[in-house]
Amino acid sequence: MSDVVGFIGLGIMGEGMVRNLAKGGCKLIVWNRTPAKSEELKKEYPEQVEVAASVGDVVKGAGVTFSMLSNLEASQACFDSVLEAVGEGKSIVDCATLTPAAMQDMAAKVAAKGGRFVEAPVSGTKKPAADGQLIFLCAGSKSLFEDVGKHLDMMGKAKHYYGEEVGGGTKMKLAINMTMGTMMVAVSEGIALAESSNLTAADFLQVISEGAMGCPLYNYKAPNLTTHNHPPAFPLKHAHKDMNFALDLAAAQSTSLPVSAAAQSRFAQVPPEDQDKDFTVVTEVCRKL
């Protein structure tokens, strides 16, 4: 198997992830829809990075290819070219948050062509990706999971394996992101109540941080929540997509999630012009209700 590592998608998450692979000394072949990020990486690591002309060329030039695309549509748009290049000795690690069915479909098609597949969606946003502090939630080929362990360690602080059956990693990711979205709506409504009572969001969050509800999520997002500025680390449109996927999964399994469904309805009220902002922008919806 080639020791060259492929990477598809240098967006908000992928850019930090691939830089950590480069820092770890990996030889890389990369592709991004807009080439500028790939070219910038090559300038920084000229001896390690090759820029591919297509996603198929990434797979052809690498033994293991990581993919970190933003949504189901982007994944589907690239997958046929990925699959065309898959064969014996080729392995795919997909780190996007998709649906269990989409991951299972890709895994079956890769296996049918003699390749190996692992789903590895991540818990973490832009800063953890840049800092190498992601948490990988994996399922699929056990041998591939073991082979890429060193790469996952370069990009993350933890990795978990949920068995050979693809889907377990994605289901865990959806449960995690659903909970995170619900937490954000809960704190947003707390801020709305505090501010309508002539208290400040900063004072409310300080008390939260001092008690049992204090957590990294609220601490990290406090500047957004107190200043009404929402630079995208985890865009609202992606958070909303994950909430929808989680609720679809719950419905398919006859699992009732009324609190999360209510939180999802708040995400649905965010106007189109705010969809690319961080998911903390849901706070502005709660403030106006």
Side-chain angles (χ1 to χ4, degrees), residues 166-245:
V166 170
T170 293
K171 290 174 182 178
M172 179 62 78
K173 174 63 187 291
L174 294 179
I176 293 295
N177 275 20
M178 181 195 71
T179 302
M180 182 171 64
T182 303
M183 287 174 64
M184 186 53 64
V185 172
V187 80
S188 296
E189 292 192 348
I191 288 171
L193 178 60
E195 290 181 338
S196 69
S197 304
N198 296 317
L199 302 167
T200 69
D203 286 344
F204 171 78
L205 291 169
Q206 181 179 358
V207 176
I208 289 282
S209 72
E210 292 169 346
M213 290 182 290
C215 65
L217 175 65
Y218 295 156
N219 293 340
Y220 177 50
K221 296 298 186 180
N224 297 25
L225 300 173
T226 56
T227 66
H228 302 268
N229 293 318
H230 306 279
F234 183 32
L236 185 284
K237 63 185 179 183
H238 298 328
H240 190 199
K241 174 258 296 180
D242 293 351
M243 292 285 283
N244 286 336
F245 285 168

Side-chain angles (χ1 to χ4, degrees), residues 1-199:
M1 183 175 70
S2 170
D3 62 355
V4 176
V5 176
F7 206 100
I8 298 170
L10 277 64
I12 288 175
M13 298 295 291
E15 183 177 14
M17 294 167 69
V18 76
R19 286 183 186 281
N20 282 315
L21 291 174
K23 290 174 186 176
C26 294
K27 293 181 179 180
L28 297 162
I29 180 168
V30 303
W31 178 89
N32 192 57
R33 182 175 56 84
T34 52
K37 287 187 176 181
S38 300
E39 296 294 346
E40 182 181 346
L41 185 69
K42 182 172 176 58
K43 287 180 181 178
E44 291 183 39
Y45 299 92
E47 302 301 319
Q48 293 174 239
V49 176
E50 177 185 349
V51 177
S54 69
V55 292
D57 287 342
V58 173
V59 179
K60 290 174 185 176
V64 174
T65 297
F66 289 87
S67 179
M68 185 46 137
L69 297 169
S70 60
N71 55 39
L72 187 58
E73 292 74 22
S75 176
Q76 290 173 334
C78 290
F79 185 67
D80 284 348
S81 296
V82 168
L83 188 63
E84 187 176 339
V86 168
E88 293 288 342
K90 299 296 182 182
S91 299
I92 306 297
V93 181
D94 199 304
C95 301
T97 304
L98 307 176
T99 64
M103 285 291 191
Q104 290 162 354
D105 180 66
M106 290 192 294
K109 289 176 178 175
V110 168
K113 292 199 67 179
R116 297 182 298 170
F117 185 92
V118 158
E119 61 171 343
V122 300
S123 180
T125 55
K126 182 177 180 179
K127 190 175 189 301
D131 293 345
Q133 294 293 298
L134 295 172
I135 301 168
F136 288 89
L137 310 171
C138 307
S141 167
K142 183 65 178 294
S143 65
L144 177 55
F145 174 73
E146 293 172 347
D147 286 348
V148 300
K150 61 184 178 182
H151 302 117
L152 300 181
D153 290 342
M154 291 176 191
M155 297 184 286
K157 65 179 180 179
K159 55 185 184 293
H160 301 280
Y161 181 71
Y162 299 107
E164 294 272 354
E165 183 179 348
V166 170
T170 293
K171 290 174 182 178
M172 179 62 78
K173 174 63 187 291
L174 294 179
I176 293 295
N177 275 20
M178 181 195 71
T179 302
M180 182 171 64
T182 303
M183 287 174 64
M184 186 53 64
V185 172
V187 80
S188 296
E189 292 192 348
I191 288 171
L193 178 60
E195 290 181 338
S196 69
S197 304
N198 296 317
L199 302 167

